[in-house]
Amino acid sequence: MLLVFLPIYIWADEGMWLPCCLSKQTKQVMKDMGLNLTPRQLYNPGGAALSNAVVSFGGFCSGVVVSPDGLVFTNHHCGFDAIRQHSTVKHDYLRNGFVADSLSDELPNPDLFVSFLVRTEDVTERILQALPQDVTEDNRSLIVDSLSTLIADEAVKNDTLLRAVVSSFYAGNEYYLSVYKDYYDVRLVYAPPSSVGKFGGDTDNWVWPRHTGDFSVFRIYADTHNEPAAYSKDNVPYHPDYYAPISLAGYKEGSFCMTMGYPGTTSRYLSSYGVEERMNADNMARIDVRAIKQAIWKDAMEKSDAVRIKYASKYAQSANYWKNSIGMNQSIKKLNIIGKKRRLEHQLTEWIHRKPEERNKYAGILTELEDSYRNRYKNARAMAYFGECFANGPELVTAAWSVLNFDFEAEKSVLEERVRQLLELYANIDLDIDKKVFVAMLKEYAAVVEPESLSETYATIEKKFKGDYQAYVDDLYSHTELDTPRGFERVVKKDSTYVLFEDPAISFVIDMLVKSYELSAAADDDNMKIEKNERLLNEAVREMESDKDFYPDANSTMRFSFGMIGGYSPKDALEYTYYTTIKGIFDKIREYKGDSDFEVIPSVIDLLENRDFGRYAAEDGNMNVCFISDNDITGGNSGSGMFNGNGELIGLAFDGNWEAMSSDIIYEPNLQRCIGVDIRYVLYMIEKYGKSTRLINELKLVE
């Protein structure tokens, strides 16, 4: 029966906890489960601690520093775009892998940075005290934003190398300041072949059992004072004040396991009505639209290595959360998540009725949430499809939007970086593919939304092109100057013969912006009511269960989770063990013969067949590849270190499991698992495949 109220009753291994703010209850649970470190060894602003070795990698993944010279371990899929950018048909690092034989061979990545957390501070009281008693929701947002900016600016005013952010927690009931130091010179050091780092591809994504060597290696560089600096040949390896030791002892079922990283977003306290909208609007738009776009991309990628390299990263990023959305919707239905939410909300309603002092504050919030979500559903669904079809659709639209919003008044360094990013975008567009995507997106959007959600472009297509989407797209691409960088160059040179706002690509973007604004504005009132009542719902649930130990939803701030290594039973009569070995790689190669997701290059097969595992072998002499624990995980956790009770690295988290894809909404303790790559397999591939003993020698290995 406890499963009905999972958002209230927090299980020992559930939660994404703030390192700064552990309760006595949580500390004791961790100790009882097997953690041998003190709280100050986990998080200690101004001193050495395990959290100092954990980085936000690029703002979208996590990583862990593992050497005194700034080596960072993260996932292969986190480093995938950087690996792709350095790849060519001649030097195909995606297919064959990459190893730098010396510091001078390590490859810079202008778009990458890592962030170290300096400190976290609770600023809730300062912000909430500034809010007038009867403030409207829109004014509340303005005040919170203004005060958050002021607090962040104050925190870094004496140190220009720091960055500060105030983030909302518990749906806006609490606020915390996080101060970071960012390093911008991050170089690629090692990447396994994709047939290791991406083994299983889309087929195995979010699935256990897994056999993916999902890792890559980078190095942080700094100036001669060990401070952040833009890329320079004069920079030197960064020297951290703490780096993670690595265990070669492995793990057993029931072993303590802790992850530390930067999980992106969860919605554990979201109302049942919010879950319904997410299913039927956001997730369905992602499922429907990306399936169409990815099919076009994949067909072209399979016909050309040059296209494959151009589109590999885009395809992987798109497919990742496409499959996630499919699994989430299936899990929400199968596990009756909405029913569980409704029962919780019924319990809350009864509690409110029993508490006269709470009636004025909380009475009606669920009714208003139901009404507001219902009122905005049509526009929310249209906006979701709009975003997937156009904002996240044809790359010509992305390029045109970038040119339209280009800030020519920015500082020189910022200007140069944005020009570089724009040219990089153009370098990776195939116009024939993009036209196919454009036509498909126009058709799909028109097919799924109400007529009033269509922009003026559709009237033009009907009138001028007799409803022929292909004819419209062909005409647009033949007349725009923005299908290549030449249009941007004409703007830069102030070419008087070129009027940017008359370019058909810009006209399309502006038309889309107008319609987007109309759709958004139509839902403004309901948006404000939803924001307010979701916040009150969050507050009410925590008040009702004030004796419980709550954790906030993930919001890209540093968190850790703790749990145990162990298998699970996804359904009757089926039991999954807690680790996989290289035997499963060969089994899948045979089972999926001819499937590109399971193709392994001969040099890797030869290595694995040789079975020279050395000190990286498990106790039984085999090579473990992946393992699972019941740690809490979501997007952004990819690359998080998985640590034993002594704070030694035993793996890198890279995925959740299919049966618990609704975990962003409710944690299911019997089903949810965190999938990690065994650190011994990582080291084996570095030393035996990459023959890079120089990297192994940097590490602190605990035998």
Side-chain angles (χ1 to χ4, degrees), residues 277 280-286 289-290 376-393 445 448-450 452-454 511-524 527:
E277 182 181 270
N280 299 321
D282 297 339
N283 286 358
M284 283 309 304
R286 194 174 295 118
V289 176
R290 294 193 185 189
R376 85 170 187 183
Y377 175 70
K378 184 174 69 175
N379 282 332
R381 182 173 179 274
M383 283 293 289
Y385 274 92
F386 187 95
E388 285 293 331
C389 287
F390 303 121
N392 194 31
Y445 185 71
V448 297
V449 303
E450 303 292 333
E452 57 267 29
S453 297
L454 299 178
D511 186 40
M512 294 297 116
L513 287 173
V514 170
K515 178 51 66 175
S516 175
Y517 176 79
E518 289 176 1
L519 293 171
S520 178
D524 274 350
N527 291 342

Side-chain angles (χ1 to χ4, degrees), residues 310-311 314 394-399 422-435 477 482-484:
K310 276 186 178 183
Y311 279 80
K314 291 181 280 194
E395 292 177 279
L396 174 62
V397 175
T398 304
L422 181 59
L423 295 179
E424 171 75 12
L425 188 157
Y426 274 115
N428 290 291
I429 297 177
D430 183 295
L431 294 179
D432 289 335
I433 297 171
D434 204 48
K435 287 168 70 174
Y477 278 73
L482 296 174
D483 57 338
T484 72

Side-chain angles (χ1 to χ4, degrees), residues 5-52:
F5 307 121
L6 276 175
I8 298 176
Y9 295 91
I10 306 305
W11 292 65
D13 45 13
E14 174 185 353
M16 298 181 178
W17 304 92
L18 285 164
C20 67
C21 313
L22 296 178
S23 68
K24 290 182 179 180
Q25 177 183 342
T26 302
K27 292 175 185 177
Q28 188 59 49
V29 170
M30 295 172 69
K31 184 177 180 181
D32 292 344
M33 291 178 69
L35 178 64
N36 299 319
L37 303 181
T38 67
R40 289 183 69 82
Q41 288 176 306
L42 289 177
Y43 171 78
N44 183 22
L50 184 58
S51 62
N52 296 7

Side-chain angles (χ1 to χ4, degrees), residues 598-657:
F598 297 92
E599 289 180 358
V600 178
I601 59 177
S603 56
V604 171
I605 291 177
D606 291 344
L607 176 74
L608 298 180
E609 287 181 336
N610 190 40
R611 298 183 62 84
D612 179 19
F613 306 139
R615 56 180 169 171
Y616 307 124
E619 287 184 359
D620 62 2
N622 286 320
M623 171 56 65
N624 288 11
V625 179
C626 296
F627 65 100
I628 51 174
S629 68
D630 57 8
N631 290 95
D632 215 339
I633 184 172
T634 190
N637 271 131
S638 293
S640 295
M642 302 178 76
F643 301 95
N644 62 19
N646 297 322
E648 298 160 352
L649 191 67
I650 58 174
L652 299 172
F654 69 87
D655 222 343
N657 60 315

Side-chain angles (χ1 to χ4, degrees), residues 165-232:
V165 180
V166 173
S167 302
S168 165
F169 291 76
Y170 299 108
N173 287 298
E174 295 184 16
Y175 296 88
Y176 286 77
L177 167 74
S178 297
V179 179
Y180 301 96
K181 181 173 281 191
D182 300 331
Y183 284 78
Y184 296 95
D185 188 352
V186 181
R187 305 184 194 180
L188 177 63
V189 177
Y190 183 96
S194 289
S195 55
V196 172
K198 206 172 180 294
F199 181 77
D202 292 337
T203 307
D204 269 6
N205 196 16
W206 306 103
V207 171
W208 182 259
R210 200 67 171 273
H211 301 83
T212 312
D214 199 346
F215 78 94
S216 57
V217 184
F218 290 77
R219 191 187 304 277
I220 306 166
Y221 280 74
D223 66 16
T224 53
H225 302 289
N226 209 38
E227 297 290 2
Y231 168 78
S232 168

